[in-house]
Amino acid sequence: MVKNIAVIHGDGIGPEIVDEALKVLNKVAELFGHRFNYTYVDMGGCAIDKYGDPLPASELKKCLESDSVLLGAVGGNEWNDVPANMRPEKGLLRLRAGLGVYSNIRPIKIWKQLAEASPLKKSIVEQGIDFIIVRELIGGIYFGEHKTEGDTAIDVLRYSEYEIERIGRIGFEAAQKRNKKLCSVEKSNVLDSSRLWKKVMHRLADEYPDVELSDMLVDNCAMQIIKNPAQFDVIVTENMFGDILSDEASMITGSIGMIPSSSLGATACGLYEPIHGSAPRIAGQDKANPLGTILSAAMMLRFSFEMAEEANAIENAVSAYLDAGFRTADIMSDGTKLVGCRECGKLIVHNLRKD
Ligand code: IPM
Ligand code: MG
């Protein structure tokens, strides 16, 4: 198959981790007889420096014309003082909205080899950590009106039934394919938007009788993720709650550097990115963990290109790498072998097999 991939290196560690993912994709293409064409797109701080805009229309257009988008990370201290609507992150939000990718899936699964790297007690880890967070990605407070008037700042949180319903369906459908348990997370004891959220979820539940729906307040959920992560199968939640809970949840798997994500909308063209940020402190030092990006590329193959076998091959290569005891600095522990970003990518390529 021939696929056209828009590639966004971004800022900080973005370029390093994306380069390793491309090496892995190239090897997949070679082994499985595909062709991946890459179109490079500037977004984030680097685009501000080049064009004075974190996502110029011409760059968004390249993404819209591609079969999918692979992204590293954007942002950095250099751009802290630019006007709010010109920040690097604004480029990312405009990209997500421009692609219409309302459904962001963040798999929170601990690799058995990384049980030691989890900060949780062994007895909790042993019960299993394997759930997904379905995060609404193009609505809510991220996309409401933002303004500052004198000494007052305002951010508007708005959700319509339509927006809640379409992400709710993704949550129910994901649960149907897994252990049939959906936990809807909101703050309905305080927020109107959360009360609407809960109402819509319960209305949808009638259409998915095989799925057991539960409700949880977001503060309680933050606690439950630490206390008893094994209780979760699928969590569905709004944009900002999903952002916060996914950083928290990633940590119990050992490192945020391991977690990939997919973002999809009405078409097969998705956006694939690790959930971590641009880590400016370690940028350019060959210390970053590229696995979140490499596993995001695997999700792209599975969800956008219907290449499940190829995606499995990448995941198996990652597993073999972990089995052999290699670790980047974020998940180093006694008795493991420290590798840099490039070495990690090289080892994954080396481990790739077509069965
Ligand atoms: C994420 C990031 C982004 C978000 C930032 C960079 C805008 O934290 O993908 O989780 O908040 O969505
Ligand atoms: Mg985040």
Side-chain angles (χ1 to χ4, degrees):
M1 260 193 258
V2 179
K3 293 289 178 189
N4 299 314
I5 304 174
V7 176
I8 308 179
H9 284 88
D11 311 312
I13 57 170
E16 302 163 56
I17 54 181
V18 168
D19 279 345
E20 297 316 312
L22 294 184
K23 287 179 199 162
V24 172
L25 283 174
N26 289 340
K27 183 72 183 182
V28 167
E30 185 191 313
L31 286 174
F32 290 83
H34 301 304
R35 203 168 91 211
F36 299 135
N37 300 321
Y38 306 120
T39 304
Y40 299 98
V41 173
D42 293 314
M43 187 183 86
C46 55
I48 298 175
D49 293 347
K50 206 158 154 186
Y51 312 102
D53 183 335
L55 183 64
S58 59
E59 300 302 287
L60 173 61
K61 186 161 176 277
K62 291 185 198 167
C63 296
L64 289 166
E65 287 168 356
S66 71
D67 293 315
S68 264
V69 183
L70 182 69
L71 161 69
V74 295
N77 299 330
E78 306 89 297
W79 304 285
N80 276 348
D81 297 326
V82 301
N85 65 348
M86 277 293 149
R87 287 186 60 95
E89 293 79 2
K90 208 66 183 187
L92 175 56
L93 300 186
R94 272 163 40 197
L95 175 65
R96 290 170 176 171
L99 291 169
V101 289
Y102 62 87
S103 156
N104 177 225
I105 309 276
R106 300 185 160 192
I108 306 297
K109 185 174 175 163
I110 191 160
W111 293 80
K112 64 178 190 307
Q113 301 91 333
L114 296 183
E116 294 285 304
S118 173
L120 293 187
K121 275 196 290 213
K122 202 164 166 238
S123 59
I124 297 179
V125 175
E126 274 168 358
Q127 288 169 37
I129 301 173
D130 181 5
F131 61 96
I132 64 171
I133 297 180
V134 177
R135 170 187 178 195
E136 197 294 321
L137 201 61
I138 57 173
I141 202 164
Y142 275 53
F143 291 90
E145 189 188 358
H146 305 286
K147 63 179 177 193
T148 301
E149 288 170 348
D151 60 1
T152 304
I154 300 160
D155 297 286
V156 175
L157 165 52
R158 184 194 303 271
Y159 268 109
S160 67
E161 291 202 15
Y162 161 73
E163 291 172 291
I164 300 170
E165 186 175 319
R166 65 181 180 177
I167 192 69
R169 288 191 185 284
I170 302 290
F172 279 101
E173 284 160 21
Q176 279 182 324
K177 292 188 203 120
R178 294 177 47 104
N179 293 326
K180 305 192 169 42
K181 274 169 52 187
L182 179 64
C183 180
S184 162
V185 173
E186 30 69 4
K187 188 72 186 172
S188 57
N189 53 349
V190 177
L191 302 175
D192 264 47
S193 57
S194 282
R195 284 187 279 273
L196 184 66
W197 182 278
K198 190 170 170 181
K199 188 179 103 186
V200 173
M201 289 298 157
H202 281 269
R203 193 171 68 209
L204 282 177
D206 293 341
E207 292 180 44
Y208 302 88
D210 51 334
V211 175
E212 180 198 321
L213 173 67
S214 61
D215 308 295
M216 197 178 274
L217 296 174
V218 63
D219 46 350
N220 182 28
C221 182
M223 189 257 283
Q224 295 294 338
I225 284 174
I226 302 293
K227 190 181 168 200
N228 178 14
Q231 72 186 283
F232 295 110
D233 181 26
V234 180
I235 288 177
V236 64
T237 192
E238 63 102 66
N239 202 343
M240 189 159 77
F241 297 160
D243 177 46
I244 299 169
L245 292 177
S246 59
D247 266 39
E248 183 201 7
S250 74
M251 196 55 222
I252 67 172
T253 72
S255 169
I256 193 171
M258 294 297 298
I259 309 292
S261 84
S262 67
S263 304
L264 283 156
T267 71
C269 175
L271 169 63
Y272 296 84
E273 49 173 324
I275 77 160
H276 62 70
S278 60
R281 267 187 313 114
I282 57 161
Q285 297 168 37
D286 194 33
K287 285 185 183 158
N289 184 350
L291 292 177
T293 315
I294 289 171
L295 293 166
S296 298
M299 288 182 96
M300 171 187 289
L301 300 182
R302 180 175 290 122
F303 295 139
S304 285
F305 301 166
E306 291 178 2
M307 297 181 185
E309 212 190 312
E310 292 82 339
N312 290 339
I314 295 180
E315 287 159 1
N316 291 340
V318 170
S319 193
Y321 157 96
L322 294 173
D323 277 340
F326 296 109
R327 305 284 187 268
T328 41
D330 53 323
I331 41 175
M332 255 289 281
S333 62
D334 285 349
T336 58
K337 294 171 244 177
L338 179 65
V339 293
C341 182
R342 277 196 298 272
E343 183 70 11
C344 173
K346 205 168 124 189
L347 287 161
I348 303 302
V349 168
H350 173 81
N351 289 346
L352 269 173
R353 298 275 177 283
K354 184 180 178 190
D355 290 329

